[in-house]
Amino acid sequence: MPVTYEEFADSRLTALLRYAVMLTGDPHLAQDLVQETMVRVQLNWRRVDRADAPERYVRRMLTNQYLDWQRGSWVRRVLLRAEPDEALAVRVDHAEATADRDQVWSWLSRLPRRQRAALVLRYYEDLPDAEIAEVLGCAVGTVRSAISRALATLRAEFVEV
């Protein structure tokens, strides 16, 4: 039974936003990414609804939008920084977990977008290599290579600390 755009958006928007936050590292940038993607989804809803797996199709749209931001005009205005923005920093004294989380964000922010997307899809979304390849639009071997390189980079960063 086909679902409407509104039903799809109601049921999947929160999960898409969580995924976008993991990709961008910035909740505000993630909201912009999801909004831009959902506008495109609405404009192409018939094609999306006819897909075998509409959620996977939309996740791929969102991932492609994220990967293509370099070419977009507003990526010049909003950049993911290795150092947190002081204006956005929470002034609450959190425990070691917060410091660890910030360090992980710092490391992830240094990875190329495709590698970061592959790691998020594997370890946050818990997708198998074949689905990651479908979302990223590449071969399974490319996914494995991207994840391997990303993990090697993160390991090297970890050793430095």
Side-chain angles (χ1 to χ4, degrees), residues 13 21 25 35 118 121 123 137 147:
L13 198 58
V21 168
Q35 181 178 351
L121 289 167
Y123 296 106
I147 290 172

Side-chain angles (χ1 to χ4, degrees), residues 19 22-23 104 108 111 115-129 132 143-144 146-152 154-155:
Y19 172 58
M22 293 304 296
L23 284 177
V104 170
L108 286 174
L111 292 175
Q115 288 180 11
R116 187 179 338 158
L119 283 181
V120 169
L121 289 167
R122 163 69 63 74
Y123 296 106
Y124 185 74
E125 293 289 319
D126 201 28
L127 295 182
D129 291 343
I132 296 170
V143 168
R144 291 181 182 143
I147 290 172
S148 176
R149 288 180 180 160
L151 291 175
L154 292 176
R155 278 187 208 106

